[in-house]
Amino acid sequence: MSTSDNILAPASRIHLSQDVVQVLYRLLAAGLLCVALALLTESFLNMNNLLNVLRQASLLFFLASGLTLVILTGGLDLSVGANIGISACLAATAIKATGSPALGVLVGLGVGSLVGFFNGLMVTKLRIPSFIATYGMLWVLHGVTYYYMAGETIHGFPPGFRQIGSGYFLGVPIPVYLMVTFLAVGMFFAQRTNWGQQIYAIGANPVAARLSGIPVNSRLILVYTVSGAMAGIASIVFLARLNSAEGDIGEAMTLPAIAAVLIGGTSLFGGVGTVFGTFVGALILTLVLNGMNLLAVNANWQPLVTGVIVVLAVWLDMYGRRRT
């Protein structure tokens, strides 16, 4: 057994046991939220509404799942929403120019991954704190996207492409199938592979991880690239769902994605959390937003509620760390 295996084994067992308890609490919260909404509104249990909740949760999950890996390392990616914008606009251009949905998917995925890769380089090679590096990238992407689009909208994509975001299979939205697939892949990668366990070790103690032989820089570049790739995938699903691309597409998604990760139990300080927890966090946040819509709460209050939930999730994380 290698030195890195020795440091990973006990830490992994501790984190997984803590994470299981965290996820159970959040599943209980999601269940109680469903009961409350079923009692307070007549349309919550309507099948169309439930499927819409799952579809909205899937869009949020794509973005939040990649972000989970970044936060597990103790970093942050504030550029994911802007990454959706540039990826979607360039993918839309590729589809309109060639008529090929496959090329559009490749462009969206490639641009998203490339943005994440550059984020990883700034964090590891230039040693810029992730908060500053990705905040700067956010403004660069906004500027490039708005200049490129020049206030125009690209719309009207082939029906086959639109199935990715709007289609159904056996009565269930296709984005939900994609969410289940990426959830399974993400859980396997994070908790069943050596690379995934190295990410936990880096978040728990980056100095110890480096001394134990873990290639910290390459793993950090990997997680930022994966986060960018998931933003690229989210951009494709958004594009197919909305049937149009504008400069501000995805702009409002960054805060909800961070909120979903934190609500799901991933520590903002790194080393603790699961991809499944992020799925539950995305579901809880979507249920809250859906409940406010059903209860006709003013839309201006919804960002405020999201912000309060983020602050509460961070405070609970800090409170739990002080107790342990």
Side-chain angles (χ1 to χ4, degrees):
M1 182 177 288
S2 67
T3 307
S4 62
D5 290 336
N6 286 328
I7 194 174
L8 291 177
S12 303
R13 285 196 293 271
I14 292 171
H15 290 156
L16 288 179
S17 62
Q18 291 175 339
D19 291 337
V20 167
V21 174
Q22 295 274 354
V23 168
L24 288 176
Y25 278 128
R26 282 153 178 82
L27 282 173
L28 178 62
L32 292 175
L33 194 55
C34 288
V35 172
L37 290 175
L39 293 174
L40 292 173
T41 68
E42 295 181 355
S43 54
F44 174 73
L45 291 179
N46 181 286
M47 184 55 68
N48 287 334
N49 182 62
L50 294 177
L51 289 176
N52 186 51
V53 167
L54 287 175
R55 188 207 306 272
Q56 294 300 325
S58 67
L59 295 174
L60 185 57
F61 174 76
F62 295 137
L63 202 57
S65 59
L67 192 54
T68 302
L69 299 181
V70 174
I71 295 179
L72 278 174
T73 66
L76 194 59
D77 186 352
L78 295 176
S79 68
V80 288
N83 196 347
I84 287 180
I86 188 70
S87 300
C89 290
L90 292 179
T93 301
I95 294 173
K96 295 297 287 186
T98 66
S100 170
L103 182 61
V105 172
L106 288 175
V107 169
L109 185 59
V111 172
S113 303
L114 195 60
V115 170
F117 178 73
F118 278 116
N119 281 336
L121 289 181
M122 286 193 290
V123 171
T124 57
K125 303 301 182 184
L126 301 182
R127 299 186 181 280
I128 302 174
S130 60
F131 176 87
I132 303 298
T134 57
Y135 188 63
M137 179 63 81
L138 177 157
W139 288 106
V140 169
L141 296 178
H142 276 328
V144 171
T145 306
Y146 286 131
Y147 177 80
Y148 178 72
M149 294 300 289
E152 299 293 328
T153 299
I154 302 173
H155 57 84
F157 304 112
F161 175 74
R162 294 213 59 209
Q163 289 295 309
I164 298 174
S166 306
Y168 286 79
F169 180 70
L170 299 176
V172 178
I174 288 177
V176 177
Y177 289 105
L178 296 175
M179 176 176 66
V180 172
T181 302
F182 283 109
L183 174 61
V185 172
M187 289 173 62
F188 178 81
F189 174 78
Q191 274 130 25
R192 296 295 179 186
T193 69
N194 197 40
W195 283 25
Q197 294 303 292
Q198 289 175 352
I199 290 171
Y200 278 97
I202 293 170
N205 191 330
V207 175
R210 195 182 300 276
L211 292 175
S212 68
I214 294 174
V216 174
N217 283 356
S218 65
R219 295 298 177 266
L220 289 176
I221 292 174
L222 171 69
V223 297
Y224 283 96
T225 303
V226 170
S227 178
M230 292 308 298
I233 291 170
S235 76
I236 295 302
V237 179
F238 264 97
L239 205 58
R241 172 69 178 160
L242 300 175
N243 197 27
S244 67
E246 299 178 352
D248 61 352
I249 186 173
E251 191 173 296
M253 290 299 296
T254 302
L255 179 59
I258 294 173
V261 176
L262 300 181
I263 293 169
T266 298
S267 172
L268 198 57
F269 302 96
V272 177
T274 62
V275 176
F276 186 76
T278 295
F279 160 71
V280 179
L283 190 60
I284 289 175
L285 188 59
T286 306
L287 285 169
V288 170
L289 296 175
N290 180 253
M292 287 193 290
N293 287 331
L294 294 179
L295 293 169
V297 175
N298 191 311
N300 293 328
W301 286 98
Q302 296 188 10
L304 185 148
V305 172
T306 304
V308 169
I309 291 174
V310 171
V311 172
L312 184 61
V314 173
W315 178 79
L316 287 173
D317 176 37
M318 296 177 66
Y319 179 74
R321 289 167 65 90
R322 284 197 297 268
R323 292 196 63 181
T324 56

